[in-house]
Amino acid sequence: MYYYLYRDNANLWRWTFVSSNGRTIAVSSESYYNKSDAQNGINLVKGSLYAPVRE
């Protein structure tokens, strides 16, 4: 699994989380002006592995 960090058509930063079989698991819900902001978004997802599931 890996995170793919890229620029979109508007030249803003976005990320996609890709599984080991190449399928997309998650995408950023917004574009970021700064690359560091996009990387912080990735870190938020990484840090939420132990977040509870609510129904």
Side-chain angles (χ1 to χ4, degrees):
M1 295 192 294
Y2 62 92
Y3 290 89
Y4 176 57
L5 187 61
Y6 63 96
R7 288 190 179 262
D8 62 13
N9 292 335
N11 206 30
L12 298 174
W13 290 98
R14 296 183 73 86
W15 57 264
T16 301
F17 185 39
V18 182
S19 70
S20 57
N21 64 3
R23 293 184 182 226
T24 299
I25 295 174
V27 296
S28 57
S29 59
E30 63 181 291
S31 298
Y32 301 91
Y33 288 102
N34 300 310
K35 184 177 182 180
S36 61
D37 293 336
Q39 290 170 323
N40 286 336
I42 290 171
N43 290 334
L44 285 172
V45 173
K46 284 181 177 181
S48 65
L49 291 175
Y50 300 105
V53 175
R54 295 184 180 171
E55 290 187 33

